[in-house]
Amino acid sequence: MAPKPQVIALEEHYLDPEIKQHIAGMDRTGGPRVAERLDDVGQGRIAEMDAAGIDIQVLSHGAPSVQKIADAELAVRLARGANDRLAETVRAHPDRFAGFATLPTPDPKAAADELERAVTRLGFKGAMVHGLTNGLFLDDRRFWPIFERAAALDVPLYLHPSIPHPAVIEAYYKDYVDKYPTILRAAWGFTVETATQGIRLILSGVFDEHPGLKIILGHLGEGLPFYLWRINMGLVRDGAGPNWFRDAFCEHFWITTSGFFSDPALLLCVMEMGVDRILFSVDYPFVENAPGTEWVHRIPLCAEDSAKILSGNAKRLLKM
Ligand code: MN
């Protein structure tokens, strides 16, 4: 029998003690049980990983991280401190944890420099960015130094959701927010926000300028694999090349299973993108570990493909 593949999970959150002082209002999420586990980057977390059969968590800060810090200098200071503390956490348990950097996107040049420091000096595997940065999508030219640096370092950027823009909440969701607050989050708002981020990135031409750029989306690609054919068809009407959009997506994007443990949705992603682009994740502690590992061990794929999703693809993409 082949040895049991390792299980690596990529979208697993914690909160930094300093950054979390700056997270307020609707951006605060979860009850006391989630809050307690977001703070724990030690034995409690590892015990939960052991109980569910997760070997390694690639740790990332929770949303919105420093993306909504209006004072760019403060964002830079907070990100550097958080990355130093995360590096200590990983050093304490190098066989159980790896890290995605926090990037101070309010200062794009500093964010590019911090990405380089986090990768080359702290050993991080890439970075995670949450939603809009002070109201701007990341395809804005001002952020391109970050993409240039990520491509040069050959590390992926994980685009994670955040609460939608206030004007979007007002126009699209406000009637249902009181009764169904997750309409802004996992139930729909996160998906639209992050899928839009992904689409805009391709439309911007950033992948033409930086062909080595690698992007990770959680939640099985935020719906984009399902819509690839239709988005592509629409853009062809606008004069795009026959397979421009779907080729760009399938060449530059990887997706994870965070918080989305569905056989039909997974199989659609395999059919659209190929199994090499799909990586296991839970979205801990917003989602429990056990339903994720129980599901992923019985997905209807052969052992070889399953092993790629469990950790083979992560090891290749993150050079672990
Ligand atoms: Mn998440």
Side-chain angles (χ1 to χ4, degrees):
M1 260 180 67
K4 222 170 126 228
Q6 272 196 312
V7 178
I8 301 178
L10 275 82
E11 192 193 307
E12 317 310 323
H13 304 296
Y14 78 102
L15 290 185
D16 178 77
E18 284 189 19
I19 292 178
K20 83 171 184 180
Q21 314 293 333
H22 298 268
I23 298 176
M26 268 200 291
D27 287 315
R28 284 221 188 96
T29 49
R33 178 85 184 106
V34 167
E36 181 190 320
R37 291 146 92 210
L38 281 166
D39 289 341
D40 182 347
V41 286
Q43 289 314 324
R45 179 177 293 253
I46 290 171
E48 284 200 56
M49 291 162 63
D50 289 340
I54 292 172
D55 295 296
I56 299 174
Q57 282 190 346
V58 184
L59 296 170
S60 52
H61 202 278
S65 190
V66 297
Q67 268 66 70
K68 293 184 180 175
I69 305 273
D71 175 350
E73 270 178 50
L74 174 62
V76 174
R77 201 162 65 238
L78 287 169
R80 291 182 66 100
N83 288 331
D84 286 340
R85 282 183 284 278
L86 179 57
E88 279 170 35
T89 295
V90 173
R91 265 198 298 276
H93 302 283
D95 53 338
R96 307 308 303 274
F97 295 141
F100 281 132
T102 287
L103 294 188
T105 51
D107 180 342
K109 167 72 169 66
D113 290 343
E114 181 60 9
L115 175 62
E116 181 162 343
R117 188 185 78 92
V119 171
T120 61
R121 311 271 289 268
L122 305 180
F124 287 4
K125 304 301 178 189
M128 181 177 283
V129 178
H130 302 263
L132 308 187
T133 289
N134 292 325
L136 291 174
F137 280 102
L138 287 176
D139 57 283
D140 188 293
R141 271 270 173 186
R142 280 169 275 188
F143 297 111
W144 285 30
I146 301 170
F147 299 122
E148 181 184 9
R149 201 71 61 92
L153 292 163
D154 192 28
V155 292
L157 296 176
Y158 200 128
L159 303 189
H160 186 273
S162 193
I163 295 281
H165 190 284
V168 172
I169 295 177
E170 175 70 19
Y172 279 42
Y173 303 126
K174 76 163 187 282
D175 305 325
Y176 293 99
V177 169
D178 286 343
K179 190 169 182 198
Y180 300 107
T182 66
I183 195 67
L184 298 181
R185 309 170 194 272
W188 190 239
F190 279 175
T191 307
V192 174
E193 189 92 342
T194 318
T196 305
Q197 182 97 276
I199 292 168
R200 289 181 59 115
L201 218 47
I202 294 177
L203 300 185
S204 75
V206 71
F207 298 106
D208 302 321
E209 206 155 303
H210 303 295
L213 180 59
K214 296 172 174 174
I215 301 293
I216 306 174
L217 293 176
H219 317 107
L220 288 178
E222 310 289 0
L224 290 178
F226 184 88
Y227 286 101
L228 272 184
W229 190 95
R230 182 160 165 80
I231 296 168
N232 197 76
M233 177 205 65
L235 294 173
V236 166
R237 288 187 196 155
D238 293 334
N243 281 310
W244 175 66
F245 186 86
R246 65 179 308 158
D247 284 354
F249 188 79
C250 293
E251 186 177 331
H252 295 283
F253 285 69
W254 281 254
I255 65 173
T256 79
T257 67
S258 59
F260 203 156
F261 311 140
S262 155
D263 284 353
L266 174 73
L267 293 179
L268 176 134
C269 294
V270 173
M271 290 172 80
E272 285 288 359
M273 304 180 71
V275 75
D276 292 346
R277 297 269 157 178
I278 303 169
L279 304 92
F280 177 65
S281 293
V282 171
D283 206 356
Y284 178 92
F286 301 103
V287 175
E288 299 292 325
N289 287 331
T293 49
E294 282 162 17
W295 169 73
V296 77
H297 286 300
R298 56 171 174 71
I299 53 177
L301 295 174
C302 68
E304 191 186 357
D305 285 351
S306 178
K308 287 180 173 180
I309 291 174
L310 286 169
S311 58
N313 294 336
K315 286 180 181 176
R316 209 164 37 252
L317 180 62
L318 306 181
K319 303 178 193 122
M320 293 169 77

